[in-house]
Amino acid sequence: ELMPAGLRDLFLLDPSVIFLNHGSFGACPRPVFEAYQRWQRELERQPVEFLGRRIGGLMAEARRALAEFVQVDGADLVYFPNPTTAVNMVARSLRLGPGDEVLATDHEYGACDRTWRFLAQRHGFDYCRRPVPLPMPAAEAFVEHFWGGVSERTRAIFISHITSATALRFPIEVICQRARAAGILTIIDGAHAPGQIPVDLIALDCDVYAAAAHKWLMAPKGSAFLYARRAVQERLEPLVVSWGWESEAPSGSRFIDYHEWQGTRDISAFLATPAAIRFQAEQGWDQVRASCHALLIQARDRLNALTGLAPLGSDHEAACAQMAAVQLPESVDCQQLKARLYDQFGIEAPIYRWNNQPLLRISVQGYNSQADIDALVKALTALL
């Protein structure tokens, strides 16, 4: 299946660059970016009216659209500028100390990994990174292996829905079920999920879910969110204490009051998020995703054939959606290869060492084409 013609023209990306790194910061389509700029102009036209009187209703509407997209109640979701900030709020709120453990994998995102390690050093709890071997085991074996890291001291599980460095989809549904039965808090890093795979937070039944809207949902930069189950909201303290604490005009949701207003800032990225949801619906995004997935699997298989190295996921189709990481030969100088790929071939794709294994991560989004994949394979054939 080919992408709909003209989709590339709906993005602001530099046409001279072959952009295969949507996963890092996303890319905002023109109509969504125009909505974003309209909100910015609107804010500047009458800042006091906008931030003083209209903001409550505007934010409620933006929350409602996003909550519907991830299938939860609008009162249980709050906008954050990025998942890292949201995870910081949650991690700091838990008040963990000596004798407590947080269980994660060794595939977690660097910024969040650092958040937990920082707090573990400060407060004396243990942050346990359970190694997940590669190729990733099938779902049942994965869950059994991961659950082997749970002890009577485990207070919380922090795990990615789709990992950043290895681009693998973890079977978190079963982990959330088990944790609920065991009375362990589940905190999911969903940075790469909304917009890339269907997200139903009620069905998932996690306690906390932090995710980006500016990645695969393609909202403007600085739009992310945190969902928390009602029973958990009581425990979450504001990361930035502002007017919502001891509010003089409570909204009816302490959760929203505590976390939404963090002082004066540009909220236009949040307000433009419904436009991103609309854009995907109007462009028939399920079909676009299917085309992207097919292109990704082809790219991954061709690169694995080139290097002779194994895929990272054992369940080839289900392990990835629109993003995959492939192994590169041990001897590769990652920084040099990445620079040459960009300087000589105009290809933007991340190349890095993860657990001392050189990896290249490919993202395929609606603006990519067969020609982009052919160029990547051709460039790497020359460079390797």
Side-chain angles (χ1 to χ4, degrees):
E1 286 292 330
L2 290 170
M3 302 294 170
L7 205 48
R8 169 88 199 197
D9 298 338
L10 292 178
F11 286 82
L12 296 150
L13 291 164
D14 180 346
S16 71
V17 174
I18 295 171
F19 198 73
L20 292 169
N21 190 12
H22 189 89
S24 279
F25 308 109
C28 191
R30 279 175 205 278
V32 181
F33 197 74
E34 282 159 11
Y36 172 55
Q37 291 184 314
R38 274 199 304 278
W39 284 118
Q40 287 181 316
R41 285 204 172 82
E42 186 83 359
L43 185 150
E44 292 305 335
R45 217 164 64 98
Q46 222 296 29
V48 174
E49 188 199 6
F50 196 94
L51 294 174
R53 298 192 277 277
R54 293 177 59 199
I55 186 169
L58 292 172
M59 286 300 291
E61 184 47 42
R63 273 200 316 277
R64 192 198 57 72
L66 181 57
E68 195 179 294
F69 184 74
V70 293
Q71 309 199 42
V72 291
D73 190 303
D76 298 328
L77 172 147
V78 71
Y79 276 96
F80 269 82
N82 49 62
T84 305
T85 306
V87 168
N88 265 268
M89 182 275 280
V90 176
R92 287 166 182 273
S93 295
L94 294 184
R95 305 267 168 200
L96 299 169
D100 296 330
E101 285 177 4
V102 173
L103 178 64
T105 73
D106 60 342
H107 291 239
E108 301 313 319
Y109 180 59
C112 296
D113 227 14
R114 282 168 171 77
T115 301
W116 289 108
R117 284 192 289 132
F118 175 87
L119 292 170
Q121 284 174 28
R122 288 286 181 286
H123 301 296
F125 65 88
D126 288 322
Y127 177 57
C128 311
R129 296 164 83 241
R130 182 94 169 141
V132 174
L134 292 177
M136 183 177 101
E140 210 171 300
F142 178 101
V143 173
E144 287 311 318
H145 170 76
F146 179 73
W147 204 257
V150 171
S151 80
E152 70 283 352
R153 297 168 59 204
T154 308
R155 300 287 166 262
I157 284 170
F158 176 71
I159 190 168
S160 292
H161 201 163
I162 297 173
T163 64
S164 175
T166 48
L168 293 166
R169 181 176 178 175
F170 283 167
I172 59 165
E173 295 79 1
V174 190
I175 288 166
C176 288
Q177 267 173 12
R178 275 208 183 180
R180 167 81 63 245
I184 297 168
L185 198 73
T186 46
I187 303 157
I188 307 299
D189 179 354
H192 286 278
Q196 188 181 176
I197 59 173
V199 176
D200 180 341
L201 292 180
I202 294 298
L204 183 57
D205 199 25
C206 59
D207 288 300
V208 174
Y209 193 97
H214 55 228
K215 287 185 190 274
W216 296 92
L217 189 51
M218 307 187 301
K221 311 286 170 283
S223 179
F225 70 90
L226 181 101
Y227 156 79
R229 230 162 41 89
R230 294 238 165 128
V232 177
Q233 290 173 12
E234 290 294 301
R235 294 179 67 180
L236 303 178
E237 301 174 348
L239 187 64
V240 176
V241 176
S242 189
W243 290 96
W245 186 75
E246 294 187 347
S247 175
E248 291 161 19
S251 68
S253 164
R254 202 186 84 161
F255 179 57
I256 304 297
D257 294 343
Y258 273 23
H259 306 290
E260 186 163 86
W261 183 260
Q262 296 189 351
T264 306
R265 56 178 172 166
D266 183 357
I267 56 163
S268 305
F270 305 151
L271 300 182
T273 300
I277 295 168
R278 270 197 309 279
F279 176 84
Q280 291 199 343
E282 286 161 7
Q283 296 295 329
W285 216 251
D286 287 346
Q287 184 53 57
V288 173
R289 270 193 212 97
S291 304
C292 290
H293 178 71
L295 212 47
L296 177 75
I297 297 298
Q298 181 219 113
R300 188 195 62 183
D301 292 349
R302 286 171 71 186
L303 290 181
N304 286 335
L306 175 67
T307 61
L309 298 167
L312 299 188
S314 52
D315 182 355
H316 302 321
E317 286 293 322
C320 58
Q322 285 176 251
M323 183 170 77
V326 295
Q327 300 190 68
L328 295 174
E330 262 314 316
S331 57
V332 156
D333 177 331
C334 292
Q335 270 179 310
Q336 188 196 41
L337 183 62
K338 184 182 185 319
R340 289 181 68 192
L341 192 63
Y342 192 74
D343 297 343
Q344 293 174 29
F345 298 91
I347 299 174
E348 182 68 72
I351 298 173
Y352 45 87
R353 277 186 182 267
W354 175 84
N355 279 4
N356 211 26
Q357 172 62 52
L359 300 178
L360 176 144
R361 193 182 74 187
I362 316 157
S363 294
V364 179
Q365 189 50 297
Y367 47 74
N368 291 121
S369 64
Q370 181 67 54
D372 295 345
I373 302 306
D374 293 345
L376 175 68
V377 175
K378 189 177 171 183
L380 285 172
T381 303
L383 291 171
L384 294 176

